[in-house]
Amino acid sequence: MTFTPETEKRLQDIWSRYPAGRKRSAVIPMLMYAQDELGMVTQELIAEVAQRCEVSPLQVEEVVGYYSMLNKQKMGKHHVQVCTNIACLLMGGEELWQHTTKRLGIGHKQITADGLISLEEVECAGACSWAPCVVDGYEYHHHMTIEKLDQLLDSIQKKVQ
Amino acid sequence: MSTPAAAPPTVINFTVDGRQLSAPPGTLLIDACKRAGIEIPAFCYYEGYSLQAACRMCLVEVEKMPKLQTACTLPVMEGMIVRSETEQLTKARKGTLEFLLTNHPLDCPVCDKGGECELQDMVFRYGAGESRFTEMKNHEPERQWSPVVFYDPARCILCYRCVRACNEGMGVGALGITNRGVLSEIAPNGGDHLDCDECGACIDICPVGALTSNTYRYKTRPWEMQHVGTVCTHCSNGCKTTLGVRNDEIMRGNNRDRSGINGEFLCVKGRYGFDFNAHEERLTSPMIRINGKLEEVSWSKALGFVAEKFKSVSAAGGKFGVVAGTHLTNEELFYLQKFSRAGLKSSNIDHVRSGDFVTLLDAVSGNLTSLATADDLYNTKAALVIGADLSQQHPFLAFQLRADVRHHKAKIFTVTPGPVREAKYSAASVVVPEGQEFDALNNLTEQLKGEKELVILFGDSIKGQRVRDLVAWAGTLGIPVKYVCLVDYSNSRGAMDMGVMPNLLPGYEADPHPGMSVKQMLASDALDVLWVVGENPLRETKLASKNAFVVAHSMFLDETASTADVVFPSASAYEKNGTVTNVTGQVQRLKAAVRTMGTKTDLEILGLIAKEMGMAVEIGVWSHDVVFKEIHKSVRGYNVPLPILITGGAAVTNPVNGRVAVDVLVDEIRSAGDTLFTSGSLGRYSKLLTSVPEFPGALYKR
Ligand code: SF4
Ligand code: SF4
Ligand code: SF4
Ligand code: FES
Ligand code: FES
């Protein structure tokens, strides 16, 4: 399996950061970066990671199954995560979630028909002090309100038009 | 002035529930307690496998430690004061159980594990029958992963025992865990199915009924069975297996009491390959060929007929040939060779050879300690495997080496004609074309010289002069070396020890009148009688002698029995009492577990023929214990401690060779190359073994 030169370089960088013989340490970062490129974790990717990190494909499957940020279904160009864990819930996270699903017409771990946006309801995103929080890819949006959320979605959808 | 460093303590003293205990440093509290008879409840902890600390059942109170501690991860410490049963602990354990039961279905009345389930036992002990949870239980349907293994996710308590048993114990790694939290479940390596050894270790180690076997599930309840400890009749490794028997039917095989050399280990053949015993094609009546067709006759008629024939051939000075099976008991083999030599005055007696133990014995002559036992394989610092796919052909020996690597950091070296599983954890693996294994050893000489000791296991590519070369080469390493000569079947070794060879008497003494080997007998056109006892020599070879009278003892109408003039239906090893000797020279007792109506043990058939011929006095009483007494007294190396044998243990024999130079007929030494899923002619009658689709290792072609 070949990746873009950028992704490939990132992968090589990872290994150089771990002691020799600890290839398996790269399983998670490798899955993450490759997922960014492919938009999902494919069976082919699992086999590739297993081979490169010298573990069994089943061990890679275990990691993929455990981490909700690794997706076996196709994700949208923008993967939008809405936190509804306790801090965000108290600050209106649930309403944000309801609003988003209604506006986009999709639910948890689903993707819009045009493949632009996928949606996920997540547990604590680690930004409780600035709750409620919505994450677009790796980008955090704090103190979210329904208006700000709409602006975010507008800008995503406008970019494509 | 520096003070000498204090020597590390060799024993740790501590207190549990007011009792003074001691244990070597590094001992886990849970093990130390167990040895003192104090049971700490545990689901995830399992002796011999890595620590998991996933279940929290083993919590104990330790003075000066603020929180409850997991006894399965806590090494004993000097002066430690532990309490294992207190109100607080009962509460904690009850809570853990209540949690486990939030999703666990209470289907004990239909669950295979009911009656011997660790979860059931714990709930019984702590009385956590009531639950505060009112939510719906999370339910997932049961799945079949292979012809052997079923998984019921709802019953799984996620203790990881199966995962570790498969990964560490078997070296297969076919099981993993997927998803998270309440949705976690065990996942097989093939996505929706298993590609594995089908050994069933995961099923037996599961504390609950989450993993079940196709052979046993929903067939019986544990308390309805009798449990009979005997020895697996397939390969030469000699695993003890406990057969669960109900109404003269074998329901299951396992070894949960860890009573044998193999502890809990069994491969697919030992655990599930017993079904040949109840195969519908089992022969249950003697048969005589009448007008070219085998017709069922009474025992007395068949015995009388054979005795008459034997007497007349003997009187006329005719030629007998005897081929003995390598699944027979030592008693049967000993009695048979006596029958042949003393009764029929013929040394034309042999077995199908699979390894050159005879030359090994001669080459290491005078050095008793040079034969390795199953224990040695677990304790040696280094082992060298030559020309064998150990995980396929000698599953228990391979298991011992894996445990040695895990627990003692042993170094494994392999020289094989193809990739083998051992290579995954070996210090060095050399792959060479078949037949060149010996020459490739030079690549390892320097590395091996640095080891402290070595056990060499060699297959059938090392035979005749090669064995002597091997021993000479090992002598140059300058370290203590022990050997295992790999042979195929449950009593291949016993056949040699009992003198079922044309040129060696029991105990490897020279036969003054050497006879013919199997190949020579089959090729001789002057043979008058071919007597085959529990073997199938005509599977691939035709008998040269057109007029030979063929007598076969067999469980099935195989290639040999179907061409015989008389067929005796014989009992299987699971229907016999007696002893067998495994590949590492350890003799163990067989205990009859069931009976098949119409059959007789080979010993009984031999005795009855002797009686009909009027030779019973000369050859002796055909009772297994009387014959064993004679073996014990007269066969060199078999003067083993009887208490070990009688209590179901494995006694190490000490065969010696008085430097008798015999022709070992290297051409006739050839391993059948059985895999995990084949077992000579026997395997064909195990529906379970033939149903497993796995490709058996890279060294094999189907
Ligand atoms: S049957 Fe044996 S090899 Fe297969 S998954 Fe279970 S433990 Fe592993
Ligand atoms: S299947 Fe059995 S052994 Fe495996 S994790 Fe579940 S309960 Fe434990
Ligand atoms: S390793 Fe050999 S003796 Fe042990 S269970 Fe398997 S076939 Fe039987
Ligand atoms: S609860 Fe939403 S970021 Fe922590
Ligand atoms: S036995 Fe100690 S945590 Fe499971």
Side-chain angles (χ1 to χ4, degrees):
Chain A
M1 197 174 176
T2 43
F3 302 106
T4 59
E6 298 81 59
T7 308
E8 189 60 51
K9 189 177 167 302
R10 278 174 114 173
L11 297 178
Q12 296 308 327
D13 281 351
I14 301 169
W15 276 304
S16 63
R17 276 187 260 142
Y18 296 111
R22 299 275 184 81
K23 283 234 153 91
R24 62 194 304 160
S25 308
V27 168
I28 295 175
M30 187 166 168
L31 284 166
M32 287 291 290
Y33 294 141
Q35 174 178 264
D36 289 345
E37 187 184 312
L38 303 171
M40 67 189 287
V41 176
T42 59
Q43 283 305 318
E44 196 191 3
L45 175 61
I46 288 176
E48 181 76 13
V49 172
Q51 194 228 327
R52 290 208 199 186
C53 298
E54 293 170 6
V55 295
S56 71
L58 182 59
Q59 285 169 310
V60 180
E61 289 272 9
E62 290 183 296
V63 172
V64 176
Y66 186 85
Y67 289 104
S68 59
M69 289 161 96
L70 295 169
N71 288 293
K72 275 196 184 175
Q73 305 101 313
K74 184 88 184 150
M75 298 155 72
K77 276 208 183 68
H78 288 260
H79 186 61
V80 175
Q81 304 163 51
V82 181
C83 175
T84 55
N85 208 311
I86 192 76
C88 294
L89 184 80
L90 293 172
M91 302 299 287
E94 180 63 27
E95 287 73 35
L96 290 175
W97 172 248
Q98 293 302 344
H99 180 77
T100 327
T101 52
K102 231 175 261 146
R103 165 161 174 177
L104 296 175
I106 54 173
H108 177 60
K109 291 243 178 195
Q110 289 181 345
I111 179 168
T112 52
D114 57 2
L116 185 61
I117 302 177
S118 52
L119 205 53
E120 188 177 353
E121 181 183 9
V122 294
E123 303 306 328
C124 180
C128 315
S129 307
W130 308 283
C133 140
V134 170
V135 189
D136 166 21
Y138 291 113
E139 225 166 87
Y140 274 69
H141 299 268
H142 301 139
H143 300 301
M144 242 351 191
T145 58
I146 288 186
E147 294 70 52
K148 280 163 80 180
L149 181 62
D150 274 332
Q151 283 166 20
L152 173 67
L153 293 176
D154 285 345
S155 75
I156 292 175
Q157 285 169 328
K158 207 176 295 145
K159 247 188 263 164
V160 220
Q161 282 161 10
Chain B
M1 220 179 82
S2 64
T3 46
T10 54
V11 69
I12 306 281
N13 301 295
F14 55 100
T15 311
V16 180
D17 298 337
R19 280 174 61 191
Q20 290 288 335
L21 301 178
S22 58
T27 310
L28 293 170
L29 182 58
I30 195 169
D31 285 336
C33 287
K34 190 172 171 189
R35 265 158 233 163
I38 300 170
E39 190 200 354
I40 310 249
F43 288 130
C44 69
Y45 177 69
Y46 210 84
E47 213 175 338
Y49 294 131
S50 60
L51 302 181
Q52 196 74 43
C55 75
R56 323 313 281 185
M57 267 310 274
C58 65
L59 295 173
V60 290
E61 283 178 26
V62 183
E63 265 185 26
K64 297 195 183 128
M65 289 186 164
K67 285 188 187 165
L68 298 180
Q69 299 294 313
T70 46
C72 71
T73 55
L74 191 66
V76 291
M77 281 178 278
E78 190 61 37
M80 190 183 223
I81 298 173
V82 181
R83 275 178 287 275
S84 80
E85 287 289 351
T86 65
E87 214 171 294
Q88 190 191 10
L89 290 172
T90 301
K91 220 174 137 204
R93 290 174 189 160
K94 223 170 147 168
T96 300
L97 290 168
E98 188 181 349
F99 230 143
L100 285 175
L101 292 181
T102 53
N103 280 314
H104 191 97
L106 294 176
D107 60 351
C108 311
V110 296
C111 176
D112 275 353
K113 208 74 176 186
E116 50 183 17
C117 169
E118 296 176 41
L119 181 61
Q120 207 179 43
D121 291 349
M122 284 302 142
V123 174
F124 183 74
R125 178 159 154 189
Y126 292 100
E130 275 169 33
S131 175
R132 282 165 285 177
F133 286 85
T134 52
E135 285 78 4
M136 280 286 281
K137 290 193 184 215
N138 192 22
H139 188 84
E140 285 287 329
E142 191 181 29
R143 347 197 136 131
Q144 178 171 15
W145 281 342
S146 76
V148 172
V149 188
F150 281 71
Y151 175 63
D152 186 344
R155 290 187 190 147
C156 177
I157 60 169
L158 296 167
C159 67
Y160 289 71
R161 278 191 197 174
C162 54
V163 176
R164 286 171 288 159
C166 186
N167 202 9
E168 300 167 23
M170 300 309 299
V172 174
L175 298 173
I177 296 223
T178 186
N179 300 338
R180 185 159 40 144
V182 81
L183 300 175
S184 303
E185 55 182 70
I186 302 297
N189 59 356
D192 59 353
H193 68 277
L194 273 170
D195 291 313
C196 73
D197 283 6
E198 309 290 356
C199 68
C202 50
I203 298 173
D204 265 7
I205 207 172
C206 181
V208 296
L211 289 165
T212 51
S213 77
N214 202 6
T215 27
Y216 178 73
R217 60 202 297 280
Y218 302 137
K219 295 246 168 74
T220 184
R221 319 256 43 201
W223 56 84
E224 292 174 337
M225 297 184 289
Q226 257 114 40
H227 303 278
V228 187
T230 186
V231 180
C232 169
T233 189
H234 291 282
C235 89
S236 61
N237 293 188
C239 298
K240 179 123 185 256
T241 168
T242 305
L243 300 175
V245 176
R246 193 188 68 180
N247 299 338
D248 250 348
E249 193 187 339
I250 305 173
M251 308 302 296
R252 73 173 180 193
N254 67 25
N255 209 35
R256 288 310 300 275
D257 66 354
R258 307 192 195 177
S259 55
I261 45 172
N262 50 309
E264 264 169 303
F265 176 83
L266 285 174
C267 76
V268 60
K269 290 187 264 189
R271 221 186 291 271
Y272 304 116
F274 55 74
D275 57 344
F276 67 84
N277 207 75
H279 196 282
E280 61 270 16
E281 286 172 34
R282 267 299 286 277
L283 300 176
T284 52
S285 166
M287 290 184 284
I288 295 183
R289 190 168 296 279
I290 300 168
N291 297 330
K293 238 186 105 217
L294 282 171
E295 306 272 5
E296 296 196 351
V297 296
S298 69
W299 272 97
S300 56
K301 183 157 185 196
L303 289 165
F305 184 60
V306 169
E308 277 315 308
K309 185 76 186 179
F310 280 12
K311 268 202 290 195
S312 64
V313 173
S314 187
K319 236 184 202 176
F320 285 90
V322 179
V323 178
T326 40
H327 296 279
L328 300 183
T329 65
N330 286 326
E331 291 74 9
E332 290 166 338
L333 293 163
F334 183 86
Y335 196 89
L336 181 60
Q337 68 81 32
K338 201 170 164 195
F339 197 137
S340 178
R341 288 187 167 110
L344 305 174
K345 307 280 179 270
S346 162
S347 285
N348 299 334
I349 177 161
D350 203 0
H351 68 285
V352 177
R353 299 147 196 237
S354 47
D356 194 359
F357 182 67
V358 173
T359 304
L360 175 66
L361 213 46
D362 195 25
V364 300
S365 172
N367 187 353
L368 274 186
T369 58
S370 58
L371 300 175
T373 64
D375 267 2
D376 289 330
L377 294 182
Y378 173 62
N379 290 310
T380 183
K381 297 197 167 60
L384 167 63
V385 183
I386 308 172
D389 189 341
L390 224 55
S391 291
Q392 286 286 331
Q393 297 173 296
H394 299 276
F396 168 54
L397 302 188
F399 177 83
Q400 289 292 83
L401 290 185
R402 277 194 294 275
D404 196 17
V405 171
R406 285 201 319 281
H407 297 161
H408 309 131
K409 301 202 165 57
K411 286 203 201 142
I412 311 294
F413 302 84
T414 64
V415 180
T416 55
V420 291
R421 185 180 306 165
E422 283 66 39
K424 270 202 284 192
Y425 43 87
S426 69
S429 280
V430 185
V431 174
V432 291
E434 203 167 338
Q436 294 178 24
E437 292 93 340
F438 180 77
D439 306 304
L441 290 179
N442 288 327
N443 297 324
L444 298 172
T445 310
E446 285 314 306
Q447 216 175 336
L448 290 172
K449 276 183 180 164
E451 297 302 326
K452 294 220 163 46
E453 57 178 357
L454 186 67
V455 171
I456 301 181
L457 305 98
F458 63 88
D460 65 346
S461 59
I462 305 287
K463 53 189 169 188
Q465 183 55 35
R466 274 280 183 262
V467 179
R468 296 178 199 280
D469 297 343
L470 175 69
V471 173
W473 168 80
T476 66
L477 297 175
I479 53 173
V481 178
K482 292 185 182 181
Y483 299 88
V484 179
C485 169
L486 300 170
V487 290
D488 281 354
Y489 297 121
S490 59
N491 212 16
S492 291
R493 174 65 179 276
M496 294 185 274
D497 291 357
M498 293 302 123
V500 179
M501 285 182 289
N503 45 16
L504 286 169
L505 302 176
Y508 302 93
E509 302 198 53
D511 187 331
H513 315 285
M516 291 192 287
S517 68
V518 174
K519 217 172 173 178
Q520 291 162 345
M521 288 182 237
L522 299 185
S524 159
D525 52 12
L527 202 68
D528 295 300
V529 170
L530 179 69
W531 187 8
V532 182
V533 183
E535 186 53 83
N536 189 9
L538 304 182
R539 186 174 178 171
E540 274 152 13
T541 320
K542 278 240 150 35
L543 186 58
S545 173
K546 289 278 166 298
N547 299 318
F549 178 73
V550 179
V551 179
H553 299 206
S554 185
M555 283 189 271
F556 301 101
L557 209 58
D558 56 19
E559 288 84 346
T560 303
S562 58
T563 55
D565 297 288
V566 180
V567 180
F568 289 118
S570 48
S572 79
Y574 296 145
E575 299 164 337
K576 287 176 179 173
N577 290 305
T579 62
V580 287
T581 308
N582 79 345
V583 64
T584 50
Q586 293 169 280
V587 55
Q588 304 178 83
R589 275 208 328 181
L590 291 182
K591 213 163 150 193
V594 287
R595 263 196 66 101
T596 296
M597 287 295 282
T599 66
K600 290 186 193 300
T601 67
D602 294 293
L603 186 60
E604 198 178 353
I605 304 171
L606 298 178
L608 291 173
I609 298 175
K611 184 174 147 221
E612 289 286 325
M613 290 176 73
M615 299 190 317
V617 177
E618 207 177 335
I619 307 170
V621 182
W622 55 93
S623 129
H624 70 95
D625 36 4
V626 173
V627 181
F628 184 74
K629 249 184 217 146
E630 195 177 342
I631 294 173
H632 190 251
K633 200 171 69 204
S634 69
V635 179
R636 288 193 299 181
Y638 274 73
N639 186 21
V640 295
L642 293 176
I644 296 186
L645 257 191
I646 289 163
T647 53
V652 181
T653 59
N654 281 309
V656 281
N657 181 321
R659 284 225 166 264
V660 184
V662 293
D663 183 357
V664 294
L665 305 164
V666 283
D667 289 347
E668 293 193 38
I669 299 175
R670 200 172 67 92
S671 164
D674 276 314
T675 69
L676 272 176
F677 308 111
T678 65
S679 182
S681 294
L682 206 54
R684 290 191 278 168
Y685 296 95
S686 165
K687 290 183 183 164
L688 190 275
L689 290 181
T690 50
S691 74
V692 175
E694 254 79 351
F695 185 72
L699 274 187
Y700 299 90
K701 290 175 206 88
R702 260 260 157 114

